[in-house]
Amino acid sequence: MADTPSFRRHRLASSIDFVRWLPSSATSHSGRLLAAAVHDPSSAPATSRIHLLALTEPGNPLVSLSLPTRATALRCSPSVIAASTSSGSLHLLPSSFDSDAAVAISGGAGFHVGPVRGLDCGGEEWVTAGEDGRVHVVGGGADGRVVATRVWDGKGMSGYEAARWASPAEFATGGAGCGVQWWDRRKGHAVVAQCNGIWGRGIVTGMVHSVDIHPSRKHICVVGGSSGTIFAWDLRWPQQPIALSGIGLNGMYEPVCESEVWEVLFDTYTQSSDIVSSASTRILPVMMCSEDGVLAIVEQDERPLELLAEACAINSIDIDPQNPSDVVCALEWESIGVLARGRETMSEE
């Protein structure tokens, strides 16, 4: 973790809710591409769009697609860009950005009512989890149409904020009133394990905002939530979450930030401080971003390494799957940030 990162800020004309690397662009003639969900509240009416951006010049969108309402989640697979919205709809767009081939599932009684914040791709299928307490698996039907299969309907008793596939048969969800849940489709789309997190220790009441699955040990996930809380959850010990932010080396409550943790990702670039233990029991370093503008790396039993401290919220982060040293982040005040670790320049456009 000794490399000095460089940081480049690119201005856009709209607020940026999410930004993701486009995996299929690794061999693109335009160079690396990004997908960004943006929102312009100053227009009448307010507009929301998905932009396709070139990494070399992200301030000038290559192509745009309109959304009916503000994006609440954005994910990219090698072949599809997916966005969900505050009105409960889901939009699937080929990574080629061919708008004529875009497919949408409208929000409403048959799908989601209200914001869908949990969204992830698992091969040929997508999982959606909404504030309405509903969970769906979306995929292609026998007739070639996109079909949404309802897995669960909480009927408003709990709401979901995050979803992440672990395998073609398993995924995790998190939110308010339900903690983190592990689902197994081989057992009738049932919840087979649940964890209430570290909030139950009397520190604070909590909400889960983000879940990520360990890249090689699928039984381990990391969770980010309210009040700067980050913890790992190992399914082998489902009632013993491992605090990464919130419980410091001296046992005191020491969050890496004091606000909502919007996203957490296992960081395969940063080498663990304990190489011997990291191969067996230690949790990989985790990158996080927060409402109070912190981008940092947290590690089990270590003090956080702060990479950025911005004056605005960092709404999302994404680590380049082809080059894990590069990180892109969505700065709420109309900027996309690109962090290149191991370089020594910092600039702004």
Side-chain angles (χ1 to χ4, degrees):
M1 298 198 296
D3 291 339
T4 301
S6 71
F7 182 67
R8 182 180 292 270
R9 184 183 286 105
H10 302 273
R11 304 288 185 187
L12 270 70
S14 305
S15 297
I16 304 162
D17 292 320
F18 304 96
V19 62
R20 306 293 183 202
W21 294 100
L22 204 59
S24 60
S25 70
T27 58
S28 169
H29 294 299
S30 302
R32 295 310 312 275
L33 300 177
L34 305 171
V38 302
H39 178 69
D40 185 2
S42 64
S43 61
T47 58
S48 297
R49 307 180 72 87
I50 300 175
H51 286 333
L52 181 66
L53 309 170
L55 179 61
T56 54
E57 196 176 2
N60 296 313
L62 301 174
V63 192
S64 292
L65 175 73
S66 295
L67 296 174
T69 53
R70 191 167 187 171
T72 48
L74 179 70
R75 293 289 181 191
C76 298
S77 76
S79 59
V80 177
I81 301 168
S84 55
T85 71
S86 60
S87 57
S89 61
L90 175 66
H91 303 263
L92 304 175
L93 178 68
S95 56
S96 62
F97 239 77
D98 180 3
S99 59
D100 293 334
V103 176
I105 301 177
S106 300
F111 191 48
H112 287 282
V113 178
V116 181
R117 301 193 187 279
L119 174 65
D120 196 31
C121 176
E124 299 297 319
E125 295 181 304
W126 296 81
V127 60
T128 64
E131 289 187 4
D132 56 1
R134 295 176 179 175
V135 178
H136 291 88
V137 172
V138 179
D143 57 359
R145 295 185 301 170
V146 174
V147 176
T149 302
R150 184 166 298 172
V151 174
W152 175 254
D153 187 352
K155 301 186 184 299
M157 298 300 292
S158 60
Y160 294 101
E161 297 270 324
R164 202 72 159 170
W165 285 100
S167 72
E170 301 165 290
F171 60 87
T173 58
C178 56
V180 192
Q181 296 175 326
W182 193 271
W183 304 73
D184 192 332
R185 303 174 69 187
R186 297 164 298 190
K187 299 181 180 179
H189 288 101
V191 173
V192 295
Q194 182 164 334
C195 176
N196 292 325
I198 62 176
W199 295 288
R201 299 176 182 178
I203 299 169
V204 287
T205 57
M207 177 183 291
V208 172
H209 294 305
S210 178
V211 176
D212 194 28
I213 306 296
H214 195 290
S216 60
R217 287 176 275 173
K218 300 298 184 180
H219 57 277
I220 298 176
C221 64
V222 63
V223 180
S226 53
S227 301
T229 301
I230 303 171
F231 63 90
W233 183 38
D234 190 328
L235 287 175
R236 296 171 298 179
W237 301 283
Q239 300 309 315
Q240 299 177 36
I242 302 167
L244 301 180
S245 171
I247 305 296
L249 298 176
N250 58 0
M252 300 295 289
Y253 179 49
E254 296 178 358
V256 65
C257 67
E258 297 181 356
S259 65
E260 308 303 291
V261 174
W262 289 132
E263 191 146 28
V264 288
L265 295 172
F266 280 108
D267 183 14
T268 57
Y269 174 77
T270 300
Q271 189 176 58
S272 173
S273 62
D274 189 334
I275 298 175
V276 175
S277 296
S278 65
S280 55
T281 59
R282 285 179 65 86
I283 304 301
L284 273 179
V286 173
M287 183 172 287
M288 56 75 66
C289 68
S290 71
E291 173 65 23
D292 54 5
V294 173
L295 176 68
I297 296 170
V298 296
E299 187 177 352
Q300 186 178 354
D301 299 327
E302 299 289 336
R303 296 194 179 279
L305 173 65
E306 188 175 278
L307 300 176
L308 290 176
E310 293 292 305
C312 65
I314 301 178
N315 291 330
S316 76
I317 51 174
D318 200 22
I319 298 173
D320 187 346
Q322 274 77 38
N323 187 8
S325 64
D326 292 343
V327 180
V328 66
C329 55
L331 308 180
E332 190 170 53
W333 288 356
E334 304 178 356
S335 295
I336 286 177
V338 180
L339 186 76
R341 291 179 277 184
R343 303 171 200 175
E344 298 183 351
T345 60
M346 182 172 293
S347 60
E348 181 171 321
E349 295 183 355

